[in-house]
Amino acid sequence: MSFKGRGIFQDERAATVVFGTLLIILVTITVVSALALSISVAQKNAMDRQSAIEASENENLKIVSIQPTASDYPLYSSYWDSLNITVLNLDILDSRVSAVSINGNYMMNYCLIDENREPFLISGTDYPMTFDSRRRAEIPAGKARQIHIGGIHTSENITPLSSSPVNVSLNNLPDKAYSDFSYLVRVYNSTASFNYGSDFTVDENSSILTLLNDSIVPGTNYTVEYTTFLGGNMGPMQVSKNDPITVEIISDRINVYKKMFVPPIPLAEVQYKSELRPNGSVDQYLLFDASDSYDPDSDGFITGYRWAIYNGTGAKVYGFDEGDAPLRGIKVRPALNLLDTPFTIDLEVTDDTGMVSKLSETSGNITIP
């Protein structure tokens, strides 16, 4: 007996079962693959979130010190012109600064200074680059940077070729780099200083400085200095010299770092002293003592003492400025002619964080009649 059977593909019911089974297998594989991909994406997102959390938790910026600079302009004589804030990154990852606040006033612009004390410059110029919430300053891992708040000082030299009035072209007006900042202009040399308006004017559109003062000497070199104000939300930075300074830094990982800097307290005592010389004569002198000066910070201390002395004619015998005869120390015996009275005495003290305070700006100068 013989049988003639039909192939599986000739059997419609069998073919339907096979194709159905293959379709189920294909759908199952697709679903499993999609599920695996979804799990993989979820795992990656979870790992990214965990990494971000760990990076935020491990971030460690330290506000180390502050270096305030006094203003040269009489209008702002009671305020600091600028602040250099040293920030150290103790993490193994770079950090970026999103915002900087001084006494609750968030700075809209600031500059960055590297470890060589050089500012980061706008490409192709001599102007310091400015940073803000969009262009965030980077603090490299294991390194320190200084954040500069306040005035940017730039300058150029001019040599007028004729007497006033004379027009001189300017090459470095701040308008060329900063369109939204206000600035002041000074013109001076070693023997003279000139005032804006009465002695000179500046046409910002044409970058022309017009010298009006009759004392301008043709062929003489003069310095044109610009102070550009990097302001906060309330305008140019105005931090009183006698007030504490609270610095707050917000990183791009939403960490907040805060430190208060309190000015040291200068206190001085002046004593008349006498000593017997080997020849039998008596030498009288003044001894200045700043031992009672102190730092209100519980863990702070004073690191520097400088004295300024003016004699009875108003002449500066010792001073704080560059080029002045220096007088430094917690106790000093200055070389003075005691007949040149009255003496006016000022004391400047600096603490370990860089805060500076003067006797003349707190309790007042000492006068020796």
Side-chain angles (χ1 to χ4, degrees):
M1 179 182 292
S2 64
F3 294 92
K4 182 180 278 188
R6 291 184 297 176
I8 189 171
F9 292 104
Q10 292 174 321
D11 189 329
E12 294 180 357
R13 288 177 297 176
T16 300
V17 171
V18 170
F19 280 117
T21 303
L22 291 175
L23 182 60
I24 291 173
I25 294 172
L26 180 61
V27 170
T28 301
I29 292 173
T30 303
V31 170
V32 170
S33 298
L35 181 60
L37 179 61
S38 176
I39 293 174
S40 176
V41 172
Q43 288 176 336
K44 182 179 183 302
N45 290 339
M47 290 175 64
D48 289 344
R49 284 195 297 270
Q50 185 61 32
S51 295
I53 292 172
E54 290 178 358
S56 178
E57 291 176 347
N58 293 331
E59 185 179 52
N60 189 4
L61 296 180
K62 183 177 181 181
I63 303 173
V64 178
S65 63
I66 191 169
Q67 182 182 351
T69 303
S71 175
D72 292 332
Y73 295 94
L75 180 64
Y76 301 105
S77 61
S78 60
Y79 299 98
W80 294 119
D81 173 72
S82 62
L83 304 172
N84 282 352
I85 304 162
T86 300
V87 181
L88 175 63
N89 185 357
L90 297 172
D91 195 8
I92 60 173
L93 299 176
D94 297 342
S95 293
R96 287 176 175 80
V97 175
S98 293
V100 180
S101 166
I102 304 296
N103 288 354
N105 183 20
Y106 281 92
M107 301 292 109
M108 292 192 292
N109 302 278
Y110 54 90
C111 297
L112 196 65
I113 300 174
D114 65 19
E115 60 267 27
N116 298 317
R117 300 184 180 274
E118 295 293 334
F120 290 85
L121 302 178
I122 298 173
S123 179
T125 74
D126 291 330
Y127 293 98
M129 181 184 297
T130 59
F131 296 85
D132 52 33
S133 58
R134 291 170 297 178
R135 179 191 289 166
R136 299 173 181 177
E138 182 178 277
I139 313 296
K143 293 186 178 181
R145 291 284 186 266
Q146 281 191 333
I147 294 175
H148 177 85
I149 303 290
I152 295 178
H153 298 280
T154 54
S155 64
E156 62 181 297
N157 294 323
I158 61 172
T159 306
L161 299 180
S162 61
S163 57
S164 66
V166 58
N167 294 329
V168 180
S169 295
L170 298 175
N171 298 316
N172 293 330
L173 266 179
D175 295 78
K176 297 181 179 181
Y178 315 113
S179 58
D180 299 327
F181 304 150
S182 59
Y183 62 90
L184 297 176
V185 184
R186 294 176 62 205
V187 179
Y188 63 92
N189 63 8
S190 58
T191 60
S193 180
F194 304 101
N195 298 314
Y196 181 84
S198 58
D199 297 327
F200 68 91
T201 60
V202 176
D203 187 330
E204 297 175 349
N205 295 322
S206 61
S207 297
I208 295 295
L209 180 144
T210 301
L211 296 167
L212 306 172
N213 193 292
D214 292 336
S215 63
I216 295 293
V217 180
T220 301
N221 187 52
Y222 295 89
T223 297
V224 181
E225 182 183 83
Y226 311 102
T227 300
T228 305
F229 297 103
L230 300 181
N233 291 339
M234 303 299 292
M237 185 192 73
Q238 292 187 349
V239 178
S240 173
K241 292 181 179 179
N242 299 323
D243 291 341
I245 300 175
T246 300
V247 178
E248 185 176 275
I249 292 177
I250 302 177
S251 74
D252 62 350
R253 298 175 196 161
I254 321 300
N255 286 319
V256 179
Y257 302 91
K258 190 172 183 179
K259 184 168 183 177
M260 176 183 285
F261 297 91
V262 180
I265 306 299
L267 296 172
E269 180 184 6
V270 180
Q271 302 174 355
Y272 276 102
K273 294 285 186 176
S274 300
E275 65 178 2
L276 184 64
R277 291 182 174 181
N279 61 6
S281 64
V282 176
D283 184 21
Q284 291 187 326
Y285 62 92
L286 293 176
L287 179 67
F288 295 173
D289 188 350
S291 301
D292 290 334
S293 302
Y294 65 94
D295 189 343
D297 288 334
S298 59
D299 58 347
F301 52 92
I302 295 177
T303 60
Y305 303 81
R306 297 200 304 170
W307 303 83
I309 304 175
Y310 300 83
N311 64 22
T313 66
K316 188 189 298 184
V317 184
Y318 299 95
F320 304 134
D321 299 327
E322 185 177 352
D324 292 343
L327 185 62
R328 297 184 175 92
I330 188 170
K331 290 184 179 182
V332 294
R333 176 181 172 175
L336 297 174
N337 182 349
L338 297 186
L339 298 179
D340 289 341
T341 55
F343 293 109
T344 301
I345 298 147
D346 197 4
L347 168 66
E348 177 189 87
V349 293
T350 304
D351 71 10
D352 59 307
T353 65
M355 289 294 287
V356 179
S357 189
K358 291 181 180 178
L359 199 65
S360 56
E361 297 168 353
T362 53
S363 58
N365 291 326
I366 295 176
T367 300
I368 304 298

